[in-house]
Amino acid sequence: MKPELNKYVLIFLLSSIGLIVFPHIYHIPLAIFSFFFLLLGWRFVGIWRPNWLPNKLALFLLMLCGLLLLYSQHQGIFGRDAGTRLFVTALGLKLMEIKAERDLYLITYLAFIVAASQFLYQQSLLMAAYILFVCCVLLATLVSINSRKPQTIAALKSAAAIIAQAIPMAIVLFMLFPRVEAPRWMLFKDEQQNKTGLSDSMEPGSISDLGMSEELVFRAKFSGAIPPPAQRYWRGPVLAHTDGKRWTRAISRMRQELLDKPKYTGIPYQYTLLMEPQSKNWVFALDLPIEFPGNLNRNRNYQLTSSENPDKRSEYKITSYPNYNTGYITKTEYSDATQLPAEPSARIKQLVTQLHGFDSGPDDFIKQILNHFRKEDFHYTLTPPLMEVNPIETFLFETRYGFCSHYAAAFVYLMRVAGAPARVVTGFQGGELNKVGGFLEIKQADAHAWAEVWLENKGWVRVDPTAAVAPERIERGLDVEQLVAGGAIRFAPVGSNAQAAFEWLKQARQLWSNIDYNWQRWVINYNSANQGKFLSSLGINDIRTMVYWLIVILGLITAVLSWLLLYQKQKTVDKVLRVYNRFGRKLAKRGLTRGMGEGESDFAERAKLKLPEHANAIDDITEIFIKLRYRSASSQEDLKQLQKRVAKFKV
């Protein structure tokens, strides 16, 4: 390999490797990330200052530094994070010992592995396009290594052509080749990478921590009408036990078959739920689910849970009814739903008495509490004050600023003091409608807490005290941009120009969200089960038929690509011959005619003997022609040079 070739190829290679590793800034510790780019920058300097590169001793010390960094940041031997950090560190160290062309190949192949590791963290369409781009740059590096006179644009064009030819085959293999699911014991989990979201417990203000998060939780696409915002309650954990501050799920041995079966009325909603990866196996169905896949279970509190790995994106078809009657209440349920941590204080009893909780039925008491929240100076806010001691009393009698969890906890507590069974339900409420794709997007900011009260002849009835204070939260959803510095919800008018710009940006975001939704659903979530359904729709029900389809389709693609490549090559060859024959006709004017079977090089030598003043021009034309005619590493630029040289040739 020539020195000038080394310089060009190294710049190309190091630039592409920097592009590959850069997105890992979100996935690996800053120390390891900085260590890699320190080595990369050092290697860049070494292109122009080779004597600055480390010797064997320095390389050994750098290797020890890399091992110490890996050890200090380690999270086990196996797993996604451990493997990624090892490959990134190894790639950086390998850059410091490039000595031969073989090292360039090894680094390029290692870079492909690091590029593929990005999909272990993110599978979005943008990341796929980015990885496709950097892989094109890596292929261009390989093209440059094998070119006599490498050029950036020509190398990128060649790499893009290779990828374009491979894409049809990749699509066919993706759709038809059997998809093998990794067994559960091979799923190495990175415990340190905890996913934020709803918890199986609730404390004052705990859900408000999610109120500013735009992280997507799931999408719901309805086959018919979409429920209005006031009915979009996505059921999660039910919390019945409290110590006065913290609410948790009740621990009881009640069997599922002892529960009364709910009775449903009204028009059902049928929808497809696309759950994003999460740490819990909860599936947030629209309240109340009746039909769901066999891999889902409904517990005694009517919450759906999955038996599959929650770290994977999953899709479920569910049917829910907005109107239902859950039937009678068992003794265990009644005990759980009336539990109090201690004897209520005098202030609490006085408030319940004032609201006629002791001398009226539960229905009337519910109305009294909601009117109390509505008429008194209560406020809905994402930034409530701290309430470390007696949070319910502090909220009811002192601060009166709270999030949904404060209102739900206070409401349930007051109902229990009056002797009515009540409990807290957590989940999500609302969801933004994507008008382009016709589906709902539910984010962490939609996390919500409401209450359920058991009423005679009605069963468990949903009551949302937040709606009494901030009905906009239920009807329009929570918009964090509408929160002022004081923390209270306000809806200020917006100018026409600003409103138009906002609507345009919103439509653009929804368009992209729709594209991403279909990418996630049809590509990322194309597992063995979905592949089986797709192939069955084509009449492919066994391996033999699948293999036949693969052979036939891949054969057709190969035939078409071969014909296109050969046809293009033939067109190029014909044009090259026409230009070279024009050169031959010019030499014929001086009595130089190419003999039968005489090679181009021999003919050039004979021409130079007769026309020594044109020796350089004859050599250049002959060399370019031979490259275009017989070598694969030729380009359209070479053909242009040949045309230019022949046109200037005068005898």
Side-chain angles (χ1 to χ4, degrees):
M1 207 165 44
K2 297 179 181 179
E4 61 270 15
L5 181 62
N6 281 340
K7 181 178 178 180
Y8 173 84
V9 172
L10 280 175
I11 294 175
F12 210 155
L13 177 63
L14 296 178
S15 300
S16 61
I17 289 176
L19 291 174
I20 288 169
V21 177
F22 183 75
H24 277 300
I25 188 174
Y26 300 106
H27 313 140
I28 61 178
L30 182 61
I32 294 179
F33 185 82
S34 303
F35 179 70
F36 171 82
F37 273 93
L38 175 65
L39 297 178
L40 181 67
W42 193 347
R43 195 60 190 81
F44 258 115
V45 174
I47 297 176
W48 294 276
R49 296 287 189 273
N51 56 319
W52 289 11
L53 292 174
N55 54 26
K56 291 184 178 181
L57 178 60
L59 278 174
F60 178 75
L61 295 176
L62 286 174
M63 182 189 69
L64 289 180
C65 289
L67 291 175
L68 288 173
L69 276 176
L70 289 173
Y71 179 78
S72 65
Q73 303 289 336
H74 81 99
Q75 295 180 357
I77 300 175
F78 301 106
R80 175 191 63 179
D81 292 340
T84 303
R85 296 169 188 184
L86 176 62
F87 274 112
V88 169
T89 304
L91 180 60
L93 291 171
K94 186 62 180 175
L95 294 177
M96 307 305 294
E97 57 173 11
I98 298 176
K99 296 179 180 179
E101 187 175 296
R102 173 179 173 275
D103 296 321
L104 297 179
Y105 287 114
L106 290 176
I107 290 174
T108 303
Y109 299 145
L110 183 58
F112 274 115
I113 297 176
V114 175
S117 68
Q118 289 286 348
F119 289 115
L120 299 176
Y121 295 91
Q122 187 180 3
Q123 299 89 34
S124 67
L125 184 58
L126 281 177
M127 181 55 68
Y130 183 82
I131 296 303
L132 188 65
F133 166 73
V134 296
C135 286
C136 179
V137 176
L138 279 178
L139 281 176
T141 303
L142 292 175
V143 171
S144 299
I145 294 173
N146 291 277
S147 300
R148 280 175 166 258
K149 295 180 179 180
Q151 295 179 344
T152 303
I153 301 301
L156 288 172
K157 286 182 178 179
S158 299
I162 294 172
I163 291 177
Q165 294 163 20
I167 285 178
M169 290 189 176
I171 293 175
V172 173
L173 290 173
F174 173 80
M175 297 175 65
L176 297 180
F177 197 81
R179 308 187 73 80
V180 180
E181 301 290 338
R184 191 172 289 272
W185 62 269
M186 291 184 62
L187 298 174
F188 303 118
K189 296 183 180 180
D190 296 288
E191 299 297 339
Q192 281 74 11
Q193 295 295 329
N194 293 324
K195 299 178 177 66
T196 59
L198 281 179
S199 174
D200 54 2
S201 64
M202 184 188 77
E203 295 184 14
S206 59
I207 296 180
S208 64
D209 295 337
L210 304 175
M212 304 294 287
S213 174
E214 290 296 303
E215 181 184 359
L216 184 66
V217 182
F218 60 91
R219 299 180 177 101
K221 188 175 182 65
F222 290 80
S223 58
I226 298 177
Q231 290 186 354
R232 298 174 192 168
Y233 284 84
W234 308 92
R235 195 178 189 87
V238 177
L239 313 178
H241 184 272
T242 181
D243 59 3
K245 179 179 180 181
R246 190 166 181 260
W247 293 78
T248 58
R249 291 186 288 183
I251 302 176
S252 63
R253 294 184 294 274
M254 186 175 61
R255 297 164 59 189
Q256 173 71 34
E257 57 265 22
L258 295 179
L259 291 177
D260 199 3
K261 292 184 179 180
K263 297 178 181 179
Y264 303 93
T265 58
I267 301 175
Y269 291 107
Q270 297 178 342
Y271 53 98
T272 299
L273 209 66
L274 183 63
M275 294 290 303
E276 293 296 307
Q278 56 176 332
S279 57
K280 306 288 186 180
N281 64 337
W282 302 333
V283 176
F284 299 94
L286 192 68
D287 213 4
L288 191 74
I290 180 174
E291 296 178 2
F292 41 85
N295 57 349
L296 296 183
N297 300 304
R298 191 176 69 178
N299 63 22
R300 65 187 183 89
N301 293 321
Y302 311 106
Q303 178 194 3
L304 294 184
T305 57
S306 174
S307 58
E308 297 181 343
N309 178 22
D311 288 337
K312 297 173 60 178
R313 186 174 285 101
S314 304
E315 187 177 80
Y316 309 101
K317 291 186 177 180
I318 304 174
T319 301
S320 297
Y321 276 83
N323 303 315
Y324 51 86
N325 185 334
T326 60
Y328 67 85
I329 185 171
T330 66
K331 291 182 180 180
T332 307
E333 276 188 303
Y334 184 88
S335 175
D336 291 339
T338 55
Q339 174 263 333
L340 291 172
E343 182 70 17
S345 67
R347 286 198 300 178
I348 291 292
K349 290 181 179 180
Q350 182 180 357
L351 178 61
V352 173
T353 301
Q354 175 187 337
L355 299 177
H356 304 284
F358 295 121
D359 56 6
S360 65
D363 298 79
D364 292 334
F365 188 42
I366 291 173
K367 295 178 182 177
Q368 291 290 337
I369 296 176
L370 297 182
N371 284 332
H372 179 71
F373 286 152
R374 189 180 298 114
K375 294 179 180 180
E376 297 298 325
D377 193 24
F378 284 91
H379 302 274
Y380 181 69
T381 176
L382 277 178
T383 56
L386 292 177
M387 307 174 199
E388 293 294 336
V389 181
N390 297 327
I392 292 178
E393 289 191 39
T394 304
F395 167 68
L396 288 172
F397 301 109
E398 298 177 19
T399 64
R400 295 193 172 188
Y401 275 80
F403 195 56
C404 59
S405 56
H406 297 82
Y407 286 97
F411 175 87
V412 170
Y413 186 79
L414 292 176
M415 292 300 301
R416 289 186 178 187
V417 171
R423 59 193 187 184
V424 175
V425 183
T426 59
F428 296 88
Q429 197 284 325
E432 182 182 355
L433 175 62
N434 187 302
K435 297 180 181 180
V436 179
F439 57 86
L440 292 174
E441 293 179 299
I442 291 82
K443 302 175 182 179
Q444 295 288 5
D446 297 313
H448 194 55
W450 59 95
E452 279 187 337
V453 181
W454 189 87
L455 301 176
E456 190 73 34
N457 300 322
K458 294 182 181 180
W460 288 105
V461 177
R462 179 176 64 241
V463 180
D464 192 350
T466 302
V469 182
E472 301 88 353
R473 165 64 181 91
I474 309 303
E475 295 295 334
R476 299 172 56 177
L478 178 63
D479 190 346
V480 297
E481 295 180 357
Q482 294 162 342
L483 297 174
V484 297
I489 297 289
R490 306 189 189 281
F491 296 88
V494 182
S496 58
N497 293 335
Q499 184 67 25
F502 175 78
E503 288 297 327
W504 184 86
L505 290 174
K506 185 176 180 180
Q507 291 177 5
R509 188 187 67 80
Q510 289 189 348
L511 176 62
W512 172 251
S513 181
N514 181 52
I515 295 173
D516 181 70
Y517 170 71
N518 286 283
W519 166 263
Q520 299 290 345
R521 186 179 180 189
W522 300 111
V523 179
I524 302 302
N525 202 42
Y526 189 70
N527 51 27
S528 56
N530 291 333
Q531 185 189 47
K533 295 177 183 178
F534 172 72
L535 296 182
S536 295
S537 66
L538 299 177
I540 305 175
N541 298 309
D542 54 77
I543 295 295
R544 177 180 294 182
T545 307
M546 182 187 297
V547 172
Y548 288 158
W549 275 67
L550 275 174
I551 293 174
V552 171
I553 296 178
L554 291 179
L556 287 174
I557 294 175
T558 302
V560 171
L561 289 176
S562 300
W563 181 81
L564 289 174
L565 292 173
L566 292 174
Y567 178 73
Q568 186 66 29
K569 182 69 176 176
Q570 186 62 40
K571 286 177 61 179
T572 302
V573 169
D574 291 344
K575 187 178 294 186
V576 170
L577 281 175
R578 288 197 298 270
V579 175
Y580 185 77
N581 289 336
R582 191 157 59 245
F583 168 67
R585 288 193 294 272
K586 289 185 177 183
L587 290 177
K589 294 178 182 180
R590 299 292 298 267
L592 289 167
T593 305
R594 186 178 172 188
M596 185 66 68
E598 185 178 18
E600 293 85 355
S601 299
D602 294 336
F603 180 52
E605 292 298 326
R606 188 159 58 87
K608 287 191 293 182
L609 290 175
K610 188 170 184 178
L611 303 171
E613 67 277 13
H614 298 293
N616 291 335
I618 294 172
D619 277 338
D620 289 342
I621 292 173
T622 303
E623 183 180 354
I624 297 173
F625 172 74
I626 292 174
K627 179 181 180 181
L628 287 166
R629 179 75 171 176
Y630 303 108
R631 297 174 187 168
S632 59
S634 59
S635 63
Q636 290 294 323
E637 186 64 29
D638 294 321
L639 179 58
K640 292 179 181 179
Q641 287 295 325
L642 180 64
Q643 292 173 326
K644 184 177 180 180
R645 300 293 177 93
V646 171
K648 289 184 177 181
F649 186 75
K650 305 292 184 181
V651 292

